[in-house]
Amino acid sequence: MSAAPPARQPYALLSEQAAARAGGQVLLQSRLKTVARRLGFGEIKRERMLLVCQELVTNQMKYARGTGLVQIWEQRSPEPALDLFAMDFGPGIADLNQALADGHTTSGTLGKGLGTVRRLADDSDFYSVPATQAAGTPWQGTAAWARFRPGDNGQDEPGPAFGRYLRALHDAPHNGDCADLAVDRHGLRWVHMDGLGHGVEAATAVAGRCRPGEPGDSPAEVLHRLSRDLSGSRGAVGIAGEAMVAERGARVCGVGDMNAWVVREGERRGLEMAPGILGHDHRSCEEIRLDLPPHALVLTASDGIRRNWSLASFPGLWRRHPQLLALVLGQVLGRSNDDKSLLVIRL
C-alpha cells in the first residue's frame, strides 16, 4: 500500500541552503524564482525578493565569515505569504538600530543590507546577539526575516500578530505536528497539535483535524471535539486557545505532553496541561485565563522543542515580531529526533 500524500501544512519550509557552499547562491536564487512564480507573485515582487535574498547572502559572506543558512518558507493560511529567513553564526551586531540605517557599512556589521531588506519587504524584523553579549546564551550571530505577499497589501494590519515554526523530523514530507489559526482584528483562535510519534501515522492522525473552532466555541469545546474525532486513531496531544484584543486576554486549554508559556513583564510562566491523549483516555482540561498587557506573548510548543530555556537565553528577542521569534527559537531549541513546532502569539 502506498503512503498517503503529505498533508499541506499552513506554514512549511520549502528550501534551506548554506549559501557559502559551492553553487549555494545559484541554487537558492533558482529555487526562489520557481517558488515565487508558482505562488503567483508579480514581476516587481519577484525582483524585490531576489534583491533581498542577495543582500542576505552577501552579508553572511562578508560579515559572518560565510557561516549560516537561508531558508524559504511558505505560509498558506490564514493568508498566503512567502518568507525569507537568514541566520548566521558570526560575531553579531553591536548596534542593530545603527546597522538598520541605509549606508551604514562599518566592518563587523551587516552594513546597508538590513536597510535594503526593510525597505523592499512587505514586513521584516531583525535580531542579533553580539559576541560581547553571548556569555550564557545558546547562540550568537544575526537573524533576519523578510515577508512578501502576492498582492499589493503592505505590512501587517494592527491587531494580533503571530509566528509559527513547523518542521518534520529529517525534513520528511509527513509532519505529525500542526498549528493553525483564524485571525481578525478582534483576536484569534488557534489549535496546536502533535500526533503521537512521527511519520505517516502521526501526520494522518492530525490531517484535516487541526482547525480552530468556530466563533463562540470555547477552547475546552474545541479539544472535546478533537478528542471525539481522534477516537480510534493513534491519537494526539494538543492545545486550543483564544486571544481577545478588547479584553487584552486569552483562554488556553491543553491535553498531553505539550508545553505552553506566557511571557509578560519580564517573566516567563509555564501553563499546566491536563494529562492524557486526545482520542484516548485523558482528563478534562481546565481553561487557563490570562491577562495580556502590551508586549505580552503566549507560546505553545510540541515536545520537539526543548523546554530548558529562559528569557535571559535570548536577550532582547521578546519585543521582536512573533514570526522572527518563532523561527529563531525553533532553529536553536528544536530537537533533532522528532517533529518540532512552535507557535507565538501577541495581541
Side-chain angles (χ1 to χ4, degrees), residues 71-86:
Q71 297 174 338
I72 303 172
W73 293 81
E74 180 186 358
Q75 176 175 278
R76 299 186 175 108
S77 70
E79 65 166 0
L82 187 148
D83 287 354
L84 288 172
F85 176 63

Side-chain angles (χ1 to χ4, degrees), residues 3 14 24-25 45 55 67 77 120-121 129 134 143 149 172 176 189 199 210 231 252-253 259 282 296 309 315:
L14 301 182
Q25 298 181 48
K45 280 286 182 78
E55 288 287 356
T67 67
S77 70
L120 294 178
V129 178
R149 301 179 180 88
R189 306 181 308 280
C210 190
S231 178
V252 180
C253 192
N259 298 303
H282 64 83
W309 55 271

Side-chain angles (χ1 to χ4, degrees), residues 176-318:
D177 287 9
C178 183
D180 208 358
L181 310 96
V183 59
D184 57 38
R185 61 188 179 88
H186 301 294
L188 56 81
R189 306 181 308 280
W190 78 90
V191 169
H192 189 174
M193 299 175 65
D194 177 3
L196 297 194
H198 52 79
V200 177
E201 292 84 1
T204 300
V206 303
R209 298 185 173 101
C210 190
R211 300 185 304 272
E214 298 297 324
D217 290 348
S218 71
E221 290 171 337
V222 172
L223 286 189
H224 179 74
R225 182 204 75 210
L226 284 172
S227 188
R228 183 183 65 242
D229 291 347
L230 285 162
S231 178
S233 74
R234 168 176 288 210
V237 294
I239 297 174
E242 179 181 23
M244 299 81 71
V245 172
E247 291 86 346
R248 298 297 316 178
R251 298 185 294 170
V252 180
C253 192
V255 170
D257 190 14
M258 297 279 288
N259 298 303
W261 304 274
V262 59
V263 174
R264 60 188 177 195
E265 299 172 345
E267 296 182 347
R268 184 191 78 162
R269 171 193 163 199
L271 306 180
E272 187 174 351
M273 306 291 103
I277 300 171
L278 295 169
H280 299 271
D281 291 333
H282 64 83
R283 293 183 186 174
S284 297
C285 65
E286 295 186 8
E287 290 186 356
I288 303 169
R289 295 182 177 267
L290 303 170
D291 294 325
L292 298 179
H295 307 296
L297 297 164
V298 178
L299 297 88
T300 63
S302 71
D303 62 356
I305 301 293
R306 295 180 180 88
R307 59 185 87 184
N308 57 337
W309 55 271
S310 69
L311 301 188
S313 302
F314 300 91
L317 178 62
W318 311 103

Side-chain angles (χ1 to χ4, degrees), residues 119-142:
R119 187 173 64 254
L120 294 178
D122 290 330
D123 207 350
S124 62
D125 206 356
F126 312 90
Y127 175 62
S128 188
V129 178
T132 55
Q133 301 175 16
T137 64
W139 165 79
Q140 77 169 56
T142 300

Side-chain angles (χ1 to χ4, degrees), residues 4-24:
R8 288 174 58 86
Q9 287 282 355
Y11 192 72
L13 177 66
L14 301 182
S15 177
E16 178 179 283
Q17 189 67 47
R21 293 181 180 175

